[in-house]
Amino acid sequence: MDYFFTEEQEMIRDLCRQIAEERIKPVRAELDEKEQFPHEIIKALAQADLFQIIIPEEYGGLGGGCLENCIAVEELSKACCGVSTSYAASFLGAYPILLFGSEAQKEKYLPLIGSGEQLCAFALTESASGSDAGSIATEAKKDGDSYVLNGSKQWITNGGEAGVYTVIAITDRSKGARGATAFIVEAGDPGFSVGKKEIKLGIRASATAELIFKDCRIPADRVLGKQGLGFVVAMRTLDKSRPGVGAQAVGLAQGALDEAAAFARVRKQFGKPIITFQAVAHMLADMAIETEAARALVYATARYIDSGAKDFSKVSAIAKVFPTDMAMRTATNAVQVLGGHGYMRDYPVEKMMRDAKILQIYEGTNQIQRNVIGQELNKEYGRGK
Ligand code: COS
């Protein structure tokens, strides 16, 4: 299928495809097994200028949008979602600066993130605050020209690997969601430390860690936007980033389909390749149908967002839900097509199945996405549409 990419978009796709083939596929099983962060691959992505994709040209970046990000993430995810999560999480962390940063903040941080010199991370989730993002407990108190942060964040992708963190904390508890503020925290800030590193079911090449703030003092000019805007910063960031999770799902599903179809052509039972049995061919056909439908959805949504659309919470949630539910089904069916082989670590599909699960959970569970879609429908139909 031709999705009418520009020359630059094709270049991004080809570059990511090459890195995926040459640098990621040969080591993905080992990174997964050892739960090892892919430092060398991150370096290769930085050298190929791939962290510049969404950074505006005035800060040294390529000035790409959601579509360019999705193209890159899809290609990397075909090979390994652990690697693509580490990559994409840097953009997740950078979006609050891109969307709400002051000129000085953008000048300071975007070149560092774009060059890949520093990874970025987004810190919202806490032990008692997941789907209910408005209930975070980490506090930030103004003290002269500083803010002092106390509390902890949980399950933060790139935790311990990032140099720049965008952190949501409460500055006025009495105001509920409107009492949250977004801050930039640097890895070396006093009172900031990295706690427990998680051991995970999938995406094991990515780092997931706890962040601890103990009287962490940061200059007052690290506020993103203004005090009280933190919840909106978080929501707008997630609206922008969720199609990227959809792109991860498309890449993962394509990778699983590639493995399953190749296997089904050579695996013989009852004297014939199993792809010639209708039961297997139909499973592969469904995998192909759903993957292509999800891809079209992700690209269309990304193009809509890049067109300058103002309100895209609903379509962004749709572009996360459908591909990620599909990727879970597709990866599970790939394991089924490979049968006993699929269940063993000799083939990559069991890893894909483990990796797929998180896509339905992170950046807002698929149940929360349906809430967002339902709320928007309620508003639309309330207006008489
Ligand atoms: N863009 C801008 N503003 C938004 C917004 C969006 N997408 N979504 C909500 N807001 C605003 C609302 O307009 C409301 O503003 P007012 O106080 O002026 O009315 C405020 O934020 C609170 O919104 P709401 O009442 O809808 O908040 P809820 O507490 O009900 O939470 C959900 C809404 C569930 C959608 C939110 O908590 C959420 O997205 N949770 C999932 C979090 C998540 O993705 N976590 C993953 C970790 S990050 S990897």
Side-chain angles (χ1 to χ4, degrees):
M1 182 97 80
D2 189 344
Y3 284 101
F4 304 103
F5 288 163
T6 61
E7 240 172 71
E8 194 177 37
Q9 289 163 351
E10 281 181 1
M11 210 182 71
I12 288 170
R13 181 195 60 200
D14 295 345
L15 202 53
C16 288
R17 198 170 280 178
Q18 190 186 349
I19 291 175
E21 284 299 322
E22 293 173 4
R23 305 294 301 268
I24 303 178
K25 274 191 183 175
V27 297
R28 65 182 168 188
E30 189 186 347
L31 293 174
D32 176 61
E33 183 70 32
K34 295 185 178 160
E35 210 139 344
Q36 199 174 304
F37 190 80
H39 288 113
E40 291 306 312
I41 299 168
I42 293 294
K43 231 181 268 169
L45 294 170
Q47 275 162 7
D49 275 345
L50 287 164
F51 283 101
Q52 300 284 18
I53 287 185
I54 63 159
I55 306 296
E57 284 168 11
E58 57 266 42
Y59 306 103
L62 295 172
C66 193
L67 181 59
E68 284 77 12
N69 178 34
C70 286
I71 292 168
V73 164
E74 178 187 337
E75 286 305 323
L76 300 178
S77 302
K78 237 185 250 179
C80 177
C81 267
V83 171
S84 72
T85 294
S86 312
Y87 171 75
S90 201
F91 288 156
L92 175 67
Y95 272 130
I97 303 174
L98 271 167
L99 296 172
F100 294 92
S102 65
E103 199 43 50
Q105 288 168 336
K106 288 180 182 173
E107 268 173 23
K108 178 171 181 191
Y109 294 104
L110 295 181
L112 287 175
I113 297 165
S115 65
E117 197 181 321
Q118 301 213 334
L119 283 174
C120 198
F122 178 65
L124 171 66
T125 302
E126 299 181 0
S127 58
S129 170
S131 292
D132 184 6
S135 70
I136 52 169
T138 295
E139 264 186 346
K141 283 210 171 108
K142 187 102 193 279
D143 181 27
D145 285 343
S146 319
Y147 278 89
V148 179
L149 274 65
N150 277 292
S152 65
K153 296 286 173 182
Q154 196 182 33
W155 304 331
I156 305 307
T157 304
N158 287 343
E161 300 292 342
V164 180
Y165 295 81
T166 47
V167 178
I168 315 295
I170 292 292
T171 39
D172 185 346
R173 205 165 289 286
S174 68
K175 290 189 177 157
R178 290 287 176 193
T181 302
F183 297 93
I184 300 171
V185 175
E186 296 179 9
D189 282 331
F192 171 68
S193 63
V194 178
K196 184 184 172 211
K197 188 186 171 214
E198 301 294 342
I199 297 170
K200 307 190 291 287
L201 171 73
I203 57 161
R204 288 157 57 92
S206 69
T208 309
E210 178 191 24
L211 310 181
I212 300 165
F213 305 92
K214 205 167 172 211
D215 294 328
C216 170
R217 186 173 287 272
I218 57 171
D221 65 7
R222 300 269 196 83
V223 169
L224 281 162
K226 59 178 184 183
Q227 185 166 315
L229 205 64
F231 193 78
V232 172
V233 172
M235 292 300 113
R236 294 276 304 280
T237 292
L238 291 164
D239 284 346
K240 271 269 191 185
S241 70
R242 281 171 181 157
V245 182
Q248 280 194 292
V250 171
L252 185 144
Q254 185 64 56
L257 171 61
D258 291 348
E259 292 293 332
F263 180 90
R265 276 179 48 77
V266 295
R267 171 71 170 174
K268 285 188 178 158
Q269 289 293 281
F270 306 102
K272 291 193 296 188
I274 62 171
I275 198 168
T276 62
F277 294 109
Q278 199 176 46
V280 174
H282 280 192
M283 282 174 81
L284 294 169
D286 282 338
M287 290 158 77
I289 293 164
E290 293 197 1
T291 303
E292 206 55 58
R295 180 176 287 121
L297 171 65
V298 168
Y299 292 169
T301 305
R303 282 188 162 122
Y304 176 65
I305 293 172
D306 291 341
S307 74
K310 289 277 172 275
D311 186 2
F312 43 82
S313 301
K314 186 181 86 177
V315 288
S316 172
I318 290 174
K320 197 248 174 192
V321 168
F322 179 77
T324 55
D325 282 349
M326 176 285 294
M328 191 69 243
R329 271 194 303 277
T330 299
T332 306
N333 282 337
V335 171
Q336 189 70 20
V337 169
L338 270 75
H341 291 285
Y343 200 74
M344 305 302 155
R345 295 221 166 167
D346 302 338
Y347 287 86
V349 287
E350 62 81 29
K351 171 184 176 303
M352 291 168 175
M353 184 175 158
R354 287 186 283 108
D355 287 353
K357 189 62 211 168
I358 193 64
L359 304 178
Q360 295 176 299
I361 298 171
Y362 68 14
E363 294 196 32
T365 64
N366 283 6
Q367 286 72 23
I368 285 293
Q369 307 306 317
R370 287 177 168 91
N371 283 2
V372 170
I373 296 162
Q375 275 168 9
E376 292 296 320
L377 287 173
N378 190 16
K379 278 191 226 159
E380 282 173 24
Y381 284 88
R383 286 196 297 263
K385 273 193 185 173

